[in-house]
Amino acid sequence: MSQSPSRYLYRTGLLGVICATLMCASWPQVAKRAKKSSGPRALGLVEILVNGKARLQTICIMVDGKFFDGGTYKATPVPMSVLPQTVYEGTRNGVSIGLYTIADARAARGSWFGEGKWVPTGSEPKRAPAITSTKRTDDEEAPPILRRSDSPSTKTDPPKPASSKPGDPAPSVPTGADAPPKLKKADNNKETSAAPESTAPAAPGAGERPILRRSKPGDAPQRFEDKDFASTEPVKEHFLAVSDVAGPEPRSFVLFAKPDDVVAYHRKLEALASQTVRERYGLKLDAHAAKRGPPSVTFTNVQMQTFDLTNSNDPVIVFTAAVDPSEKMSGAAGYSPAVHATVAVVARVDIYGELRKLLAEATDDHHLDVYPRLEFLDAADADGDGSGELVFRETSDGGSGFVVYRAGLDKVWTVFDSLRNY
């Protein structure tokens, strides 16, 4: 028995409606991905010094989905990321906190810095209200007349205009000191003493390459000295900053977890960090100690932050700490409490509430050649796709640099690494 044509058309139509519904449901995600920035998009680190000055250290720059070192990209010799009048938007956990405008560039400690002015959000000077123009009367347009009074204490009524009749003699006009002042027009042919309006010099090579977010010349920043760029200069606070002409609007990457969950995450991450430190230094446990579980390591300067990097309520946690110098780890070969041991752990919380390790690194001053020290800076949208990346400062025996990670399901992916020229 053959199928009815109407039933076939109904099934086909139903399939088309389902496909159209799925396409409409997925369209916001497609549209969101279409807004991804193609660059150039620069990432930098703003440091507010104790003396009140603000310096910007360039990290990286993204162009057409590829990352380059911000200190070498389009350097002629000043890199593109620190050209004068380049504007960076400072962010903390993805939220905008102000603007930094570069006035000049300086090379120091093997890197490029921007000298500029930092204006926090909410501290901008208030603009004066606009003055509305009104039509002036003929009397208001007339030249001013100075009048003398016989007695300063007596008030005189304003004189009434006398009605003139034909044939009456013209009123006498006072002369000399009593004469009214006259307004004279300036001679356009004569040179004026006013200085010409200053114009900012064009950025070198600006017409030959793409530009970052630009600003008009503003007030002159504070005067910088060489000591302001030394590594020993005390820093009061620091935060990441992004410059992009048409990038996405910044959004918060913070995930507010329940207090009970925060305590549970902290306990699990501290155990994971203790395991990482002991494995790195070759601590071996006997069978009896293994049954009790590995002992925890005493940490100081513990910091833990929880992020929602993809706007999907998927927690990604960053845990960093320093090993307590008084910690005694018997059996740890080559470990000394005086070598400044640190640990950094990145984990993701799966659907079952368990931690999945994405990154775990421990090092000390004697092993920086193999394991660089990782100092977590913040989460930022480095590639302009609306999702956040994790930015670390890394220190090796060869110097200091930056590394940007993208958190995956099972591990972190290196987006940019200045020390390894990645």
Side-chain angles (χ1 to χ4, degrees):
M1 181 176 179
S2 60
Q3 288 185 338
S4 172
S6 61
R7 182 175 301 179
Y8 174 76
L9 293 176
Y10 173 78
R11 291 179 179 177
T12 306
L14 180 61
L15 180 60
V17 171
I18 295 174
C19 294
T21 303
L22 294 176
M23 291 180 63
C24 292
S26 62
W27 172 250
Q29 298 180 0
V30 176
K32 183 177 181 180
R33 286 195 295 266
K35 294 180 181 179
K36 180 178 179 179
S37 174
S38 60
R41 184 179 180 87
L43 179 66
L45 177 67
V46 177
E47 295 176 322
I48 308 297
L49 306 180
V50 176
N51 58 16
K53 300 178 183 180
R55 65 190 185 192
L56 181 140
Q57 185 175 6
T58 177
I59 297 178
C60 61
I61 185 170
M62 187 274 298
V63 179
D64 295 331
K66 298 181 180 180
F67 283 84
F68 304 90
D69 192 331
T72 59
Y73 184 77
K74 299 290 184 179
T76 58
V78 177
M80 174 182 174
S81 57
V82 289
L83 286 176
Q85 272 66 64
T86 300
V87 178
Y88 282 80
E89 186 171 14
T91 61
R92 181 172 283 117
N93 299 329
V95 180
S96 175
I97 59 174
L99 297 177
Y100 184 89
T101 304
I102 295 180
D104 201 357
R106 182 185 297 245
R109 294 185 281 133
S111 183
W112 278 93
F113 292 83
E115 302 178 2
K117 182 179 181 181
W118 165 248
V119 180
T121 301
S123 64
E124 300 88 349
K126 296 182 179 180
R127 296 182 179 179
I131 300 175
T132 57
S133 59
T134 58
K135 187 176 181 180
R136 301 176 65 88
T137 62
D138 295 339
D139 293 340
E140 292 175 337
E141 294 291 346
I145 299 177
L146 301 179
R147 301 182 183 274
R148 294 187 176 183
S149 175
D150 297 335
S151 176
S153 60
T154 60
K155 297 182 180 179
T156 58
D157 296 331
K160 296 181 180 180
S163 58
S164 59
K165 296 181 180 180
D168 292 343
S172 61
V173 180
T175 60
D178 293 336
K182 296 182 179 180
L183 300 179
K184 296 181 179 181
K185 294 184 179 180
D187 190 359
N188 296 332
N189 297 328
K190 296 183 179 180
E191 297 181 357
T192 59
S193 59
E197 185 177 353
S198 60
T199 58
E208 304 174 358
R209 54 177 161 181
I211 60 175
L212 294 169
R213 183 175 175 180
R214 310 288 287 176
S215 173
K216 295 180 180 179
D219 297 335
Q222 301 182 30
R223 185 176 182 85
F224 285 80
E225 302 176 2
D226 292 340
K227 65 177 184 178
D228 295 327
F229 298 91
S231 58
T232 56
E233 190 68 16
V235 177
K236 181 171 61 175
E237 62 174 324
H238 63 265
F239 45 86
L240 298 177
V242 177
S243 179
D244 195 342
V245 177
E249 292 295 328
R251 70 169 184 87
S252 175
F253 297 124
V254 177
L255 181 63
F256 297 97
K258 298 179 180 178
D260 295 341
D261 293 338
V262 173
V263 174
Y265 295 157
H266 189 280
R267 183 173 60 253
K268 294 179 180 179
L269 280 168
E270 189 172 3
L272 187 57
S274 299
Q275 179 184 356
T276 302
V277 171
R278 293 183 175 276
E279 289 179 354
R280 177 56 47 88
Y281 294 104
L283 178 62
K284 297 181 180 180
L285 301 176
D286 54 22
H288 183 68
K291 292 181 180 179
R292 298 195 308 265
S296 62
V297 177
T298 305
F299 294 112
T300 61
N301 193 24
V302 178
Q303 297 182 7
M304 189 185 78
Q305 293 178 267
T306 306
F307 298 99
D308 179 13
L309 301 177
T310 57
N311 200 19
S312 58
N313 291 328
D314 191 10
V316 175
I317 309 175
V318 180
F319 179 94
T320 59
V323 178
D324 193 332
S326 62
E327 174 70 28
K328 304 295 183 183
M329 295 196 308
S330 59
Y335 174 76
S336 172
V339 295
H340 188 199
T342 58
V343 61
V345 178
V346 179
R348 179 186 294 276
V349 181
D350 59 18
I351 59 176
Y352 303 103
E354 299 297 329
L355 293 183
R356 182 172 296 183
K357 181 177 67 175
L358 306 182
L359 171 71
E361 292 290 344
T363 188
D364 58 72
D365 292 344
H366 295 335
H367 297 84
L368 294 179
D369 56 336
V370 182
Y371 308 107
R373 176 174 289 114
L374 295 179
E375 174 193 354
F376 181 64
L377 296 176
D378 200 358
D381 186 4
D383 55 1
D385 64 348
S387 299
E389 284 76 36
L390 303 176
V391 185
F392 290 81
R393 190 204 305 269
E394 58 177 347
T395 304
S396 69
D397 61 339
S400 178
F402 300 94
V403 58
V404 181
Y405 290 120
R406 180 178 293 116
L409 294 178
D410 298 307
K411 66 176 183 178
V412 296
W413 302 90
T414 303
V415 175
F416 172 78
D417 191 339
S418 61
L419 293 184
R420 294 172 175 81
N421 295 324
Y422 186 86

